[in-house]
């Protein structure tokens, strides 16, 4: 394994080129926006968190068109795990962590950046498509979190199931899921989402928090999507971790952690991961 620390001031072009080649245009834009948020906090907040703005890239095995190998890229609010199998021409990103803080910031070019706007838009498009009865079932369910290093039974608890949805509602749910399970090329994404769609009737969705996409009020949202072929948790963090910036939301709507896992194909908590991880779960030496 080769591990190299990176600094986003500026992030080496070669590392960005690796990410850009792995990810779809939309996923790459989200990842760059996440890193920009950490950079913004590093420069403007009171945080003493040294990991803000620092990222690591690691290669497990040798890049190959015929063998299996992996790329890991991560930092404070980001953990991309790309497992590639040259024999099957396949790639999976499970488990992957996408986080954001703050929700909205202004970059060095004076542009407003909102990394999770697409995710929020898809989440509320799904929520708004539901009937009042469906929404009541959804919000009475059990929102869960299965972190990357945890052994999980992927218990779904109560909530709204895919079998309760119309065909149109299922497509909106799949569009939301695609923010995590559709991060690669079109062919790979289509195969991954088809696998998830095949067991969507057995997938449980739960939601808590706000019911309107309005970041000027409330404490944000949390939801989980748990099925045989997908697990996604999205949770608003009710704290800024010392990263306060005047006039900027760094809690609730503005501080979110998410995790994507594939119950059928997930290295998390395996012997391989434990051997390659330090006590804090970061890259080994």
């Amino acid at each position: 394994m080769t591990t190299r620390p990176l600094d986003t001031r500026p992030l080496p072009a070669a590392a960005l080129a690796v990410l850009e080649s792995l990810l779809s245009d939309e996923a790459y834009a989200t990842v760059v926006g996440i890193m920009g948020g950490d950079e913004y906090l590093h420069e403007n907040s009171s945080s003493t968190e040294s990991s803000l703005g620092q990222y690591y890239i690691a290669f497990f095995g040798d890049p190959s068109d015929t063998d299996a190998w992996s790329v890991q890229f991560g930092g404070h609010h980001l953990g991309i795990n790309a497992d590639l199998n040259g024999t099957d021409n396949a790639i999976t990103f499970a488990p992957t962590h996408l986080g954001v803080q703050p929700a909205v910031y202004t970059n060095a070019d004076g542009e407003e950046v909102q990394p999770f706007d697409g995710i929020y838009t898809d989440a509320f498009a799904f929520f708004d498509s539901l009937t009042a009865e469906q929404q009541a079932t959804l919000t009475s369910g059990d929102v869960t979190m299965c972190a990357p290093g945890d052994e999980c039974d992927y218990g779904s608890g109560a909530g709204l199931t895919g079998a309760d949805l119309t065909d149109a509602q299922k497509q909106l749910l799949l569009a939301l899921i695609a923010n995590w399970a559709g991060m690669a090329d079109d062919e790979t994404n289509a195969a991954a989402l088809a696998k998830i769609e095949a067991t969507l009737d057995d997938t449980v969705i739960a939601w808590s928090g706000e019911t309107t996409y309005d970041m000027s009020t409330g404490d944000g949202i949390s939801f989980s999507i748990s099925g045989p072929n997908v697990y996604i948790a999205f949770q608003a963090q009710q704290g800024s971790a010392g990263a306060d910036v005047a006039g900027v939301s760094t809690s609730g709507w503005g501080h979110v952690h998410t995790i994507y896992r594939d119950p059928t194909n997930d290295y998390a908590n395996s012997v391989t991961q434990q051997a390659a991880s330090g006590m804090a779960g970061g890259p080994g030496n």
Side-chain angles (χ1 to χ4, degrees), residues 19-228:
L19 281 181
E20 194 168 13
S21 69
L22 287 171
L23 301 172
S24 67
D25 291 345
E26 294 82 1
Y28 181 71
T30 298
V31 165
V32 170
I34 289 168
M35 292 190 290
D38 281 352
E39 173 83 2
Y40 177 88
L41 291 179
H42 182 83
E43 294 182 350
N44 295 282
S45 77
S46 59
S47 176
T48 57
E49 175 55 65
S50 60
S51 68
L52 288 172
Q54 295 181 349
Y55 289 84
Y56 287 82
I57 189 166
F59 298 88
F60 297 83
D62 297 321
S64 171
D65 291 332
T66 57
D67 297 324
W69 59 289
S70 300
V71 180
Q72 187 176 78
F73 183 89
H76 193 81
H77 280 116
L78 183 65
I80 300 289
N81 293 287
D83 292 318
L84 301 98
N85 188 324
T87 301
D88 297 333
N89 194 28
I91 180 172
T92 179
F93 289 101
T96 276
H97 163 57
L98 303 179
V100 68
Q101 189 186 25
V104 186
Y105 64 91
T106 302
N107 65 17
D109 296 325
E111 302 166 330
E112 185 177 273
V113 181
Q114 189 173 341
F116 273 18
D117 180 56
I119 295 176
Y120 276 129
T121 297
D122 289 341
F124 279 95
F126 170 69
F127 185 90
D128 292 342
S129 75
L130 302 176
T131 66
E133 182 179 358
Q134 288 174 316
Q135 289 178 351
T137 302
L138 179 75
T139 55
S140 65
D142 303 313
V143 176
T144 63
M145 170 58 83
C146 190
D150 292 347
E151 286 191 22
C152 296
D153 59 8
Y154 300 100
S156 56
L160 188 68
T161 68
D164 300 324
L165 304 176
T166 67
D167 289 343
Q169 290 168 340
K170 288 180 179 179
Q171 291 307 307
L172 290 171
L173 178 60
L174 286 169
L176 174 57
I177 291 171
N179 286 282
W180 292 269
M183 295 173 60
D185 60 275
D186 290 345
E187 183 178 356
T188 300
N189 294 344
L193 291 169
K195 177 183 173 183
I196 292 168
E197 185 175 14
T199 56
L200 207 59
D201 282 356
D202 299 318
T203 298
V204 179
I205 316 99
W207 178 294
S208 66
E210 309 307 320
T211 57
T212 303
Y213 184 16
D214 180 0
M215 291 196 296
S216 67
T217 184
D219 294 322
I221 63 171
S222 296
F223 62 80
S224 57
I225 302 169
S226 183

Side-chain angles (χ1 to χ4, degrees), residues 4-23:
R4 180 173 300 173
L6 303 172
D7 193 307
T8 58
R9 298 176 294 277
L11 189 70
L16 286 176
V18 171
L19 281 181
E20 194 168 13
S21 69
L22 287 171
L23 301 172

